[in-house]
Amino acid sequence: MRVSPIATRLVALLLVTALVTGCAGRSATEEDEFEDVAEQQLYEEARSALEGGRYTTAISRLEAIDTRYPFGRHAEQAQLELIYAYYETQDWEATRAAASRFIRLHPTHPQADYALYMRGLASWQAGRFSLERLRLIDISKRDLGASRDAYSDFRELVARYPASDYAPDAEQRIVYLRNVLARHELHVADFYLRKGAYLAAVERGRWVIENYPEAEATRDALAVMVEGYLGLDMRDRAREVLQVLIENDPGNDRLRGRTFQPQHVRAQSLSA
């Protein structure tokens, strides 16, 4: 039996209508789940879920408080605990967003430092490989956008809240991140040297020295600058930087006594 095109279109339309109605019904049910639940009950359920490690359940209650009772008794605390709950579910983007929102809405809140710390910690986690702990991956060779965010957040925390309980840990992470970010810049500089982009390599080395002066990698940044200047055939400038390198890092891998050995540039050795 042949089915007419009109009948076929009618059946398709009915199926689509049924699907849309079904989805709408589910959404309405989800939206109505906490419609008649008091703020205090939602908060108590959220706290119980947090204490029991049921973070997804906690998030649903805390989000309901945030949506339904934005000016309620537990509104601010719910926003803070949402940051923690998102973090525990390893939703780094949601953690950062919730922390940023809290800081924007409550810049003078007594726990604003906590929100800023958690924002940095979420970026710290987003920027790491789990295998890094096994030393199988060098994090400094990756795209470090999240790590730069963490570095910025931790520095802001220490600057704005030097007496914060979170400042000492932030300071330790700053040291680590500073070295990672500096090493990353030197990986880029080495790439430029290999490609013959000597001026770009020199600028990268100078950037590391100016922006991460306390990083261990600043000494290798001096070596990058020496080699970049050699590639540009600016031996006098290279010799000036070489002198600084010898004074600060006489045991650098590129040095043989007071003589610099280029690694990527085809140039004669340079002596101070």
Side-chain angles (χ1 to χ4, degrees):
M1 180 179 66
R2 295 181 60 188
V3 179
S4 69
I6 294 177
T8 301
R9 286 196 296 271
L10 180 59
V11 171
L13 179 60
L14 290 173
L15 287 173
V16 170
T17 302
L19 287 172
V20 170
T21 302
C23 291
R26 286 194 296 273
S27 298
T29 301
E30 292 170 0
E31 290 176 359
D32 294 340
E33 182 179 358
F34 304 113
E35 182 177 12
D36 298 321
V37 182
E39 179 191 13
Q40 183 64 33
Q41 181 180 342
L42 284 172
Y43 185 72
E44 290 175 359
E45 291 179 1
R47 286 298 309 166
S48 176
L50 284 173
E51 292 169 3
R54 294 175 286 112
Y55 300 111
T56 301
T57 299
I59 287 171
S60 67
R61 271 62 178 175
L62 293 169
E63 287 179 341
I65 293 173
D66 193 36
T67 300
R68 297 182 176 280
Y69 305 101
F71 305 107
R73 174 185 175 188
H74 299 290
E76 291 183 7
Q77 190 62 29
Q79 292 170 13
L80 277 172
E81 290 174 356
L82 258 179
I83 298 170
Y84 174 75
Y86 286 140
Y87 181 85
E88 287 296 328
T89 59
Q90 299 184 11
D91 191 338
W92 315 131
E93 184 176 349
T95 304
R96 282 189 59 81
S100 295
R101 177 170 176 261
F102 185 87
I103 294 168
R104 184 178 69 256
L105 294 176
H106 316 288
T108 60
H109 193 281
Q111 290 185 272
D113 60 331
Y114 167 78
L116 184 54
Y117 174 73
M118 291 299 292
R119 190 173 76 180
L121 205 58
S123 290
W124 166 280
Q125 294 291 3
R128 293 167 65 92
F129 277 154
S130 60
L131 291 179
E132 185 204 350
R133 298 174 184 172
L134 303 178
R135 299 183 181 276
L136 298 180
I137 293 174
D138 184 353
I139 190 175
S140 68
K141 295 181 180 179
R142 302 178 51 228
D143 177 16
L144 298 181
S147 294
R148 290 191 186 92
D149 288 339
Y151 182 70
S152 177
D153 286 337
F154 289 139
R155 290 187 67 190
E156 183 180 351
L157 171 64
V158 171
R160 290 177 58 185
Y161 309 102
S164 169
D165 291 340
Y166 307 103
D169 182 72
E171 288 173 344
Q172 293 184 18
R173 294 178 190 273
I174 287 170
V175 172
Y176 171 82
L177 289 168
R178 182 170 58 216
N179 289 326
V180 167
L181 293 170
R183 287 207 323 270
H184 174 74
E185 295 298 327
L186 292 184
H187 284 307
V188 176
D190 278 349
F191 171 80
Y192 287 148
L193 288 174
R194 291 194 299 271
K195 296 298 183 181
Y198 303 127
L199 180 58
V202 169
E203 291 301 321
R204 283 281 175 161
R206 180 181 291 113
W207 196 90
V208 169
I209 293 169
E210 292 175 351
N211 289 273
Y212 306 114
E214 298 177 0
E216 297 174 359
T218 54
R219 298 173 180 180
D220 287 329
L222 289 168
V224 164
M225 292 182 67
V226 173
E227 190 156 354
Y229 280 130
L230 287 176
L232 293 168
D233 198 25
M234 301 173 65
R235 295 182 70 84
D236 289 342
R237 294 296 300 274
R239 189 172 284 107
E240 292 174 5
V241 180
L242 174 58
Q243 187 62 46
V244 178
L245 175 61
I246 292 172
E247 292 172 359
N248 287 273
D249 189 19
N252 192 277
D253 291 341
R254 306 281 182 91
L255 295 177
R256 299 295 181 270
R258 297 179 62 83
T259 300
F260 183 85
Q261 304 288 337
Q263 185 176 10
H264 304 297
V265 175
R266 292 184 179 180
Q268 292 182 349
S269 300
L270 182 69
S271 298

